[in-house]
C-alpha cells in the first residue's frame, strides 16, 4: 500500500526537552510524515535555530501564533500538528489549531480543567478535525492485542482491572527542591494533582482502552511522602467502569527500585491477562482452568490490531518509539482516509481522542477531590458525559 | 549446639486436610520436635486411626478435650500444641490448652471475633504460656532479612508499603457452588470476611512484620466478583501505620493467571525492597541513587535473622516447608530457653504472637465495616491497644 | 497409607560439613526414616560427640568400621546407610556395607575409578542390596514430570539436550590457594577432573534421567581459567546418546554472577522443555507450533511421578531439601516393598543407582582424556556396558 | 549538533522481504538519512514500482547495475548504499559500489568465500570507502556499554565468553521441505553452513565486539537434527581468542520454545556480565564478591558509547529497530566526519567492518570443516590476518 507523504509540525519539543525526541522518532519512523514546520521552544530564537538545524528552513517559527498564521496560508500546510509544550499551554494551542483547520495530536494532560476539556471535545466535533491525545503506550502491539482479545471475548466479561504506574524517580528528598522536580508538586504550576495527573492517567486510560469500558466513579487515597510537597506523590485509586468492571490503580513516584512501572492486569470470567511496559513484547494469558501462556509480539495469527502495529519479526524487541510510531501511523491512516474520501482501516482507528483526554481531566479532579475528602466516592465522568 | 527433643502435638490436620502436612513437615524438619500426640480429625475414629498410622500410638486421641485431659496428666506431656482446625474452633481449643499450661501455635485467623482475640492475648499474658500464630510466610529467610535491613535503617524511614496476596483459585463461577469453595464466601460459616480474612491478613501481617510498625487505621473497597457470593473475593485496603508509613494492600481470589500472589514492596527514604513468595530466594534491593541488586538467600554476611533461617547453601532453592520450619525453630528455641531458664536467641524471637492474631482480627472487622460504608476510614486497632 | 518407620544411619556429614544437613533434612522430612546411627566425622571423638548431640546415643560411633561391626549384630540394625564422606572413601565404605547386607545411598561421585564403579555394580547385583547414588536434583517434582512427559511422548523423539551446571564460586584467583578450594583442582586429591566430576556429572546424569537415554560417546574442551590450577574449572562437553539424542553440556566454576546454574533444555520433534534448579517450581513447555506454557509444580493432572513428589499446594515454593527428601522417599518405598514382599510403586522407582554412578565415572574419565587430546571423541560407556 | 542530511540508497529489501523494513526503519529513524534511491527487487518492474511507492521517483531502479550507473553520474549521488539482497549477491554488488566511490553497508554474511572477503577488505582499504557489515545487534546501547565496561577493565582480564543464538523456528520436520526453509540447508544455495552462517556468526561477532578480542582457532560439533537436511541446524563451537579468552558458542534452529535466543555472558577475573537480545534494556553485572546488579539502558553515568546509543528515557523499552538505527547513526557520523574533514566521534566508531565480515567467513569455513572432521581444531583466521 502506498501512502502519500504527509506534512507534520510540532509545537514544543525543543532542544533538551524530554518528550520531543520521542515524537520525532515516532512521527518519522515510517517515513509517512515529513517534519515540515515547528515552533519548538518558548524562546523564539532558540526555537528557530533548533528548527533550522532539524531541517525546517523558514518553517522554523519563533512561536506557535506565528506558525499558525504562516501555515494556514500555505497550500502545503502541515497535515498534523503535535502539541508537546508544558501542560498549561495545551488548551490554547490545541484550540487555535483545531479552529483553523488543522488536525492535532496533543500531549497529555490535554487541558488543565474539565471545562477546557469539554471545549476541545466540542471544537473537534464542530470542526470535524481530528484531536488526538498522546496516550502513547496504547500504541504497543500487545496492548492493541489485549484490547482485541477482550473485545472478542477471550477472557469473558471483565471483572477486574488492576493498573499500575509506579516509579521511584522523585524519591530523593534532598532533590525535592530541584526546580525540575518541584514544580510538579506545586499546585500553582501543576494544578490539582501531581503524580496522578502525570502518570496515573496513562494507567487509567489504558484500563479503559483495553477493556472498552469507561470509568464512572472513583475513590482515591492520595499522599505526599515527602514533606515539602503539597501535591501527591503516591495515590491509590479504586474505580468502577460502565461495563461493570471493578478497577484498582496505584501510581507513585517514590517507589525506589522501579524504573517505569506501568503495567496492567485484567481478570475476566474465563481468563486473565497481564502486560508490563518494561517488557512489552510478551503478554501473559491464562484461560480459566488452563496454563499460563506467553503471547509474543509478532507471533502468527494474532489480531489485525496487533499485526498492524508489529514491525519486526518475532523474538526481536520492539520498544516505546515504535509504540509512539503506531499512534502516528493511526493518524496517518485517519488523515489519508479523509483526504482520499475512504473509510479508514478500522484496526488503525484506535488513537486516543479528545474525549479520552477529557475523561482523564474529570478523573484528575475526582481523584484530587476524593483525596481531600478521605476517599469519598466521586463521579469521575465529565459533566458532558453524565 | 544440642537441643533436647521437644514433644509436639496437633489438633486438626487430619488425613486429606490442606495444611496438616505442611505443619508436620515444618515441625519435623529439624528433628527437634517429636510428633507425640494428636486429635487430628473431627471424626474421632478417623482421627485415632490416622494418628496411629502416623505413629502416635495411644496418644492418638478422638477429640481435643480427650487429648487435653490425657496430656495434662502426663509427665512427658507435649511441649507445644498446634491448632490447625477450621477457624471457628481455634478460640475454644487455644484457650483451653493455654489455660492448662500448654504452649500453642494456632493457625490463622486466631479467632472469629476481636473479643475472643483479646481474651487469648490476656490468657497468654496471665498464664505466661506462648501463644504463637501461624503467619508462616514470615519464616522465609529473606523476609527475616528484609525486617532486619529495615530495622537497621538500610532504606531509611519507611514511607510506603505495598503488599499483595492475589490469586485466581476461586475465579470459576461454575465452581462457586462447590461446597469446598462456597463456605468461604458464606457469612454463616466464614464470618464477616472471606478473602481478606483468609489471605489478606497474611499480607497485612507481613507489612507489620517487615516494617516493625502496626496498622492504625484503614479504608477498604471490597467486592464480590461472582454473583452468588455474599462475602468479598477481592479487596483493596489502604492503611496507615504507627510509624508513619502509608500502606496499600490488594487481595483477590479471582485473579486468573496468578498462582499464589503474596508479595511485598517497601519504600523508604533511602531505598526500596521487593520480595515475592513464589520466588522466595531472591530479595530485590535498590539503595537510593544506585542500582537494583539481587540479594540471594544464603549469601555471606546477611543478618543473624537471615542466617539462622537459611538451611542449605546459596543457589539452592528453599521453599515454604522451610519457612514453616523456621517458625517451629523459633518456638523450639523459645520453649527450650524457658526450660533451661536462659534468655532466648533474639534472632529467633520473631514468631508471630497472639497480639498479631488479635490485630489481624481487628483489621478483618475494620475491612468488613469499611467495605460496607463506602471505604470509610476505620480504626484498625483492637480496643485493647487503642 | 501407613509406613513402618525405617532406621537410618550416616557415615560422614559431621558438624560443619556441607552436605550433611541436607541429608538429615531430606531423610527426616517425612518422618519415615529415624536417624538411628552414625559415624559422622573422621575424628572419632568429634563424630561421637556430635552424634550424641543429634540424639544417636550409643549408636554414635567413632568410625565406619566400628559402626559396621556393631550394626550388623543388631536386630534393629539400620535399614539404610548414607555415605557422605569425601570422595576417595566412598568405594571402600559403600562396598563394605553392601557386602554386609545394608542398603546404601552413596554420595556422588560414587567411586574414584571406573573399576571400582564396576565392582560396586556387581556387588549390588550379587547381594541384591540397594545401592543408590545421590543425584539429588533428580528428586525435584518437575524434573520427574519432565521425565514422564518425555517418556510418554509429549515432545516426540528427543533431538537435542542442552544441560548446564555453571556457577562462579571458584572464580576468585586470590582465593585459589585457599585449602578448601585448592584440593578440588589438585589431581593428587581430586583425581582426573575437578569441575566436571563435581558438578558436570549432575547435569550429565540429569540429561540421561529426563530423556531415558544413556551417553555413548563424548568430546570435551576443558580449561583452567586460573593459572595455579591443574584440573579444569570450565568444560564444554558434546555427547551422543543411545536413543539418538545429541547432547551439549557446559560446566564452570568461574562464571561470576551465576549462583548455582544447573539447568536443562530438551528439544524433541514436537516440543521443547526448559527447567532450572534456581526456580524449580516452573517447567517451561512449548508444543511445536503453539505457545510457551508454564507448568507449575503441584498443578492438577500432572504425572504420577510429579504428584508423588509434590508436597505442598501449588504456588508455594518447594526447594532442594524436598528434592533430597524425594530420593529418600523413593528409597523408603523400595526398602519397605522388599520388607513387605510386594512390588514397589513404579513412580518411586526412580532413585539413581550404582549403574548411574558407574556411568558418571566413565564419563569423567572420558572427559578428562578427551580434554587432553584436543577434544577427541571418546567412548563414554563403562567397559561393562559396551 | 546539526547534521546535514545524507542520501541513502538500498539494493534488495523489496516488498515482502524480511530485513528490508528494518533497514528503512533504522536508516530513517533519526532523519539524517534520506531514502533517495533503490533497486529493491530482483524483478525490475516490482522493484521500480515499490521504490516509487516508497517515494524514490525516478531513482527507483530496475537493477543494481542500472542504479550504479545512474547514481555515480549524479552530483547528489547517495552517500551510503545498503546491500540487503540474498547472500550470494553481496560480494559482487558491494565490490562494484565500493569501487565506484560509494560507502556500503552490506548485510551479513558479507561474502560466500574467504577469498571474496579478502577482496572486499582490500578494496575498502584501497578505495578508502567505508564498507560496513550489518551485525546490527551490536548497535544495542547495552551491548555498547558492555564493550566499554570490558575495555575499561570493569571485569578484569576476560577469561571466558559464552554466546548463544539458538531458536526453534526451523524445528518442524513436516515443514522442512518448504522452499523458504529448505534452501537454507542446501549446500548448493547456502554454501558450507546453514545455522552457523546465518545466526552463529552474529553471536561470534558479538563475542569479539564486546571483548575486543579476535577468534584465533575453533572446534565445532555440527549436526542436522532433521533427516532431509544436509547442512547443520545445530552447532556447538569452542574457540580461543587472541587476548587469551576461551569461547563457547551454541547456535540452533531446532530449539523449540526459544523465540530468538541471542545472548552473551562474559566472565573476567573480577566480574561477570550477561545480556540477552530478547530483553535488551537490562545488563546483568556482578563484580567479584559483590551482588548481581541490574544496569538499565538510559541510566545516568553510563559510558559515552551507551549514552550515544540511548534514545528514550530510562524504563522505556528500546528495541531492535533502534539498534539498527545506531549502526546507521555511526555511519552517518563517519560519513559526515569525512565530508567535514574532521575526526569522527570515537564513540560512534563502532560499526562492524569488512574485516569483521571477513573474519566471520573464515569462521564459517572453519566450523564447517571442523564439523566434518570430528571437531578438529582449525585456524579460524582469514589467511590475510594470520
Ligand atoms: N505521553 C507521554 O508519555 C509523555 C511523557 C513525557 C511528557 N509528556 C508531556 O509532554 C509535554 C512536554 O513535556 P516535556 O517533559 O517534554 O517538557 P520539557 O519541559 O522537557 O519540554 C517542553 C518544551 O516545550 C517548549 N515550550 C514551552 N512553551 C512553549 C511555547 N509556548 N511554544 C513553543 N514551545 C514551548 C520548551 O522550550 C521545551 O522545549 C507535557 O505536557 C508532558 O505532560 C508526555
Ligand atoms: N498459615 C497458612 O498459610 C494456612 C494455609 C491454609 C490453611 N490455614 C488455616 O489452617 C486451618 C485449617 O485449614 P485447612 O485448609 O487445613 O482445613 P481442612 O478443612 O483441609 O482441614 C481441617 C482439618 O481439621 C480437622 N478438624 C476439624 N474440626 C476438628 C476438631 N474439632 N478436632 C480435631 N480436628 C478437627 C478436620 O477433620 C480436618 O482434618 C484453617 O484455620 C486455615 O485458615 C492456614
Ligand atoms: N549431591 C550433591 O548435590 C552434593 C553436594 C555437595 C557435596 N556432595 C558430596 O558429598 C560428599 C561430602 O561432601 P561435603 O562437601 O559435605 O564434604 P565436607 O568436607 O564438608 O564434609 C565431609 C564430612 O565427612 C567426614 N568424614 C571424612 N572422612 C570420614 C570418615 N572416614 N568417616 C566418617 N566421616 C568422615 C568429615 O569429618 C566431614 O564431617 C562428597 O562426596 C561430595 O561430592 C554432594
Ligand atoms: N542482520 C540481520 O539481523 C539479518 C536478518 C535477516 C536477514 N539478514 C540478511 O539480509 C539479507 C536479505 O535477507 P532477507 O531475509 O531479507 O531476504 P528476502 O528473501 O526476504 O529478501 C531479499 C530481497 O532482495 C531482493 N533481491 C534479490 N536479488 C536482488 C537483486 N539482484 N537486486 C535487487 N534486489 C534483489 C528480493 O527481491 C527481495 O526483496 C540476507 O543476506 C540475510 O542474511 C540479516
Amino acid at each position: 500500500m502506498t501512502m502519500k507523504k504527509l506534512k507534520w509540525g510540532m509545537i514544543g519539543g525543543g532542544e533538551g526537552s524530554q518528550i520531543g525526541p520521542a515524537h520525532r522518532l515516532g512521527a518519522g519512523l515510517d517515513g509517512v510524515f515529513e517534519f515540515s514546520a515547528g515552533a519548538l521552544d518558548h524562546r523564539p530564537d532558540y526555537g528557530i535555530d533548533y528548527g533550522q538545524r532539524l531541517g525546517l528552513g523558514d518553517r522554523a517559527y519563533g512561536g506557535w501564533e506565528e506558525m499558525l498564521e504562516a501555515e494556514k496560508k500555505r497550500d502545503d500546510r502541515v497535515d498534523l500538528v503535535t502539541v508537546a509544550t508544558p501542560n498549561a499551554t495545551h488548551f490554547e494551542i490545541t484550540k487555535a489549531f483545531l479552529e483553523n483547520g488543522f488536525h492535532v495530536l496533543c500531549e497529555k494532560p490535554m487541558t488543565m480543567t474539565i471545562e477546557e476539556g469539554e471545549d476541545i471535545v466540542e471544537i473537534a466535533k464542530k470542526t470535524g478535525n481530528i484531536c488526538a491525545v498522546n496516550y502513547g503506550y496504547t500504541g504497543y502491539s500487545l496492548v492493541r492485542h489485549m484490547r482485541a482479545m477482550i473485545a472478542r471475548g477471550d477472557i469473558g466479561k471483565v471483572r477486574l482491572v488492576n493498573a499500575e504506574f509506579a516509579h521511584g524517580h522523585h524519591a530523593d528528598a534532598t532533590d525535592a527542591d530541584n526546580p525540575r522536580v518541584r514544580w510538579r508538586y506545586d499546585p500553582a504550576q501543576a494544578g490539582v494533582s501531581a503524580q496522578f495527573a502525570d502518570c496515573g492517567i496513562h494507567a487509567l486510560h489504558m484500563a479503559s482502552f483495553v477493556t472498552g469500558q469507561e470509568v464512572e466513579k472513583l475513590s482515591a487515597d492520595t499522599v505526599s511522602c515527602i514533606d515539602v510537597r503539597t501535591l501527591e506523590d503516591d495515590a491509590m485509586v479504586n474505580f468502577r467502569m460502565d461495563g461493570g468492571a471493578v478497577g484498582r490503580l496505584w501510581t507513585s513516584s517514590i517507589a525506589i527500585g522501579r524504573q517505569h512501572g506501568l503495567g496492567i492486569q485484567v481478570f475476566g470470567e474465563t481468563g486473565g491477562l497481564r502486560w508490563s511496559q518494561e517488557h512489552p513484547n510478551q503478554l501473559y494469558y491464562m484461560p480459566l482452568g488452563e496454563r499460563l501462556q506467553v503471547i509474543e509480539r509478532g507471533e502468527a495469527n494474532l489480531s489485525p490490531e496487533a499485526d498492524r502495529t508489529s514491525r519486526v519479526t518475532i523474538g526481536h524487541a520492539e520498544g516505546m518509539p515504535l509504540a509512539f510510531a503506531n499512534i502516528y501511523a493511526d493518524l496517518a491512516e485517519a488523515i489519508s482516509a479523509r483526504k482520499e474520501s475512504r473509510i479508514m482501516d478500522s484496526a488503525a482507528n484506535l488513537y486516543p481522542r479528545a474525549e479520552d483526554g477529557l475523561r482523564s481531566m474529570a478523573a484528575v479532579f475526582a481523584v484530587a477531590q476524593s483525596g481531600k475528602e478521605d476517599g469519598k466516592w466521586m463521579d469521575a465522568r465529565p459533566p458532558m458525559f453524565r
Side-chain angles (χ1 to χ4, degrees), chain A residues 11-14 17-20 39-42 64 84-87 90 107-109 134 137 198 202 324:
Chain A
I11 322 285
S17 69
Q18 194 193 333
I19 202 69
L40 305 178
D41 206 289
H42 65 287
W64 66 265
T85 52
N87 304 351
H90 294 174
E107 259 306 340
K108 45 63 42 184
N134 190 36
Y137 302 114
D198 190 38
H202 275 294
F324 268 44

Side-chain angles (χ1 to χ4, degrees), chain A residues 167-168 171-172 254-258:
Chain A
H167 62 75
D172 188 352
I254 56 92
I256 301 174
R258 298 175 59 120

Side-chain angles (χ1 to χ4, degrees), chain A residues 44-373:
Chain A
D45 47 342
Y46 277 79
I48 291 173
D49 175 60
Y50 189 51
Q52 285 178 344
R53 279 186 283 136
L54 294 177
L56 300 183
D58 62 359
R59 292 169 83 177
Y61 302 100
W64 66 265
E65 296 93 336
E66 186 190 329
M67 172 166 157
L68 177 60
E69 285 318 306
E71 287 293 316
K72 77 182 184 194
K73 295 187 195 122
R74 297 181 72 112
D75 286 345
D76 63 347
R77 63 197 329 221
V78 287
D79 293 290
L80 175 71
V81 174
T82 291
V83 179
T85 52
N87 304 351
T89 64
H90 294 174
F91 172 64
E92 187 184 21
I93 304 175
T94 298
K95 182 171 186 293
F97 277 86
L98 283 175
E99 288 179 339
N100 281 282
F102 293 86
H103 302 303
V104 175
L105 170 61
C106 181
E107 259 306 340
K108 45 63 42 184
M110 185 176 75
T111 59
M112 296 296 285
T113 68
I114 300 173
E115 295 68 31
E116 290 169 356
E118 298 198 330
D119 268 17
I120 296 288
V121 167
E122 287 190 337
I123 294 164
K125 202 185 302 171
K126 204 174 58 204
T127 61
N129 293 321
I130 293 170
C131 178
V133 179
N134 190 36
Y135 293 112
Y137 302 114
T138 63
Y140 276 110
S141 185
L142 288 179
V143 172
R144 298 283 170 105
H145 187 60
M146 209 168 166
R147 179 187 162 97
M149 286 180 71
I150 293 172
R152 74 191 185 198
D154 287 8
I155 63 166
K157 190 167 182 300
V158 174
R159 288 170 175 164
L160 195 131
V161 194
N162 192 318
E164 287 186 356
F165 197 156
H167 62 75
H169 295 295
H170 301 155
D172 188 352
T174 66
D175 192 46
D177 264 335
N178 175 336
R180 291 193 40 240
V181 173
R182 193 181 42 198
W183 76 266
R184 299 174 173 276
Y185 298 93
D186 173 3
Q189 292 171 249
V192 297
S193 160
Q195 178 58 17
F196 182 77
D198 190 38
C199 291
I201 59 173
H202 275 294
L204 195 70
H205 175 68
M206 191 168 283
S208 287
F209 183 82
V210 297
T211 60
Q213 299 188 22
E214 301 297 347
V215 178
E216 286 191 333
K217 56 178 187 166
L218 62 78
S219 159
D221 180 24
T222 56
V223 293
S224 302
C225 291
I226 295 188
D227 282 351
V228 299
R229 288 178 182 163
T230 308
L231 299 179
E232 89 287 356
D233 51 22
D234 190 285
M236 176 61 71
V237 182
N238 290 304
F239 55 98
R240 297 293 183 275
M241 306 188 85
D242 61 6
V246 173
R248 310 198 173 302
L249 185 157
W250 175 46
T251 190
S252 188
S253 66
I254 56 92
I256 301 174
R258 298 175 59 120
Q259 291 297 355
H260 185 266
L262 173 63
I264 191 157
Q265 305 175 64
V266 187
F267 307 107
E269 293 183 342
T270 61
L273 286 162
R274 188 171 82 231
W275 179 86
S276 151
Q277 195 275 141
E278 294 184 49
H279 295 285
N281 296 286
Q282 285 75 36
L283 173 62
Y284 296 88
Y285 171 45
M286 189 192 271
L288 182 68
E290 299 184 25
R291 286 187 186 131
L292 193 71
Q293 307 177 353
V294 186
I295 300 176
E296 292 276 340
R297 186 204 54 72
E299 68 175 46
N301 304 319
L302 293 184
S303 57
E305 289 84 351
D307 288 349
R308 193 181 185 280
T309 48
S310 179
R311 289 149 184 277
V312 291
T313 47
I314 189 169
H316 292 91
E318 284 189 4
M320 187 264 233
L322 275 65
F324 268 44
N326 290 333
I327 304 287
Y328 278 98
D330 287 356
L331 291 169
E333 166 62 11
I335 295 169
S336 299
R338 286 169 182 234
K339 291 196 166 194
E340 297 160 16
S341 306
R342 56 172 174 81
I343 305 281
M344 75 177 290
D345 178 351
S346 66
N349 200 358
L350 292 174
Y351 57 87
R353 281 135 219 262
E355 285 80 356
D356 300 304
L358 166 59
R359 286 182 193 276
S360 296
M361 264 301 106
V364 164
F365 278 83
V367 163
Q369 194 58 32
S370 176
K372 276 193 200 129
E373 299 189 32

